[in-house]
Amino acid sequence: MTEQELALLRKSIERARQARAHGNHPFGALLADPQGHVILEAENTVVTGRDCTGHAETNLMREASRLFPRELLETCTLYASTEPCPMCAGAIFWGGVRRVVFALSEASLYAVAGNGPENLPLGCAALLAHGGHPTEVIGPLIEAEARTVHDGFWTAAS
């Protein structure tokens, strides 16, 4: 990981902080072009949007596929504060993004948040490995930093 890539990952964590401040679950994501320029950002909107599909990565991919041609998306990297869930991994795959970098692993998230009956524990790398085109998945990285945005959230939310 370059310093620029770590900075982008930290920016996704900052988006997760914003989601939490807005009353949502603490997850954030961004999309960067091959030069590392952020072209789109998104945060979780499950609570305020009253939409169970309002995960940061799905929100990002919904907007990205509307705004940008697939040829561009295939060259971009999605940076996520937490490992994308199976729904989000599907959106990433079908949107054509070929590289994902995440901070906090799914296993570490469940260690903090609890592994309740609504969780679907399947890492994005395992899911994306079954796709018809390759998708590079890098993570977990800087987990201690990424975990801080979850401090106290899941105990307060339950």
Side-chain angles (χ1 to χ4, degrees):
M1 282 285 98
T2 66
E3 284 303 315
Q4 180 186 28
E5 288 183 303
L6 288 172
L8 292 170
L9 200 53
R10 287 181 176 109
K11 189 169 181 144
S12 74
I13 296 167
E14 185 52 39
R15 263 318 258 222
R17 276 185 183 56
Q18 292 171 358
R20 184 174 176 172
H22 294 143
N24 291 292
H25 302 124
F27 300 101
L30 60 88
L31 194 64
D33 69 13
Q35 292 74 42
H37 301 114
V38 176
I39 60 172
L40 195 60
E41 296 183 47
E43 62 188 53
N44 183 289
T45 58
V46 166
V47 176
T48 58
R50 297 179 52 123
D51 178 0
C52 65
T53 68
H55 293 195
E57 301 90 336
T58 297
N59 288 340
L60 183 92
M61 291 308 303
R62 188 178 296 119
E63 188 69 4
S65 63
R66 190 180 70 75
L67 292 174
F68 305 113
R70 186 176 178 95
E71 296 76 26
L72 173 63
L73 296 178
E74 289 175 353
T75 68
C76 291
T77 299
L78 186 146
Y79 293 87
S81 63
T82 304
E83 185 172 4
C85 75
M87 176 184 69
C88 293
I92 292 163
F93 176 79
W94 285 307
V97 171
R98 303 287 177 99
R99 187 166 184 264
V100 177
V101 178
F102 66 88
L104 188 68
S105 72
E106 172 190 63
S108 293
L109 171 65
Y110 290 155
V112 172
N115 191 0
E118 70 283 354
N119 295 337
L120 187 57
L122 177 64
C124 72
L127 182 71
L128 291 170
H130 294 282
H133 60 74
T135 304
E136 180 182 16
V137 178
I138 300 169
L141 302 166
I142 61 173
E143 282 198 288
E145 290 180 49
R147 194 176 293 110
T148 62
V149 73
H150 295 275
D151 288 347
F153 179 82
W154 300 102
T155 52
S158 45

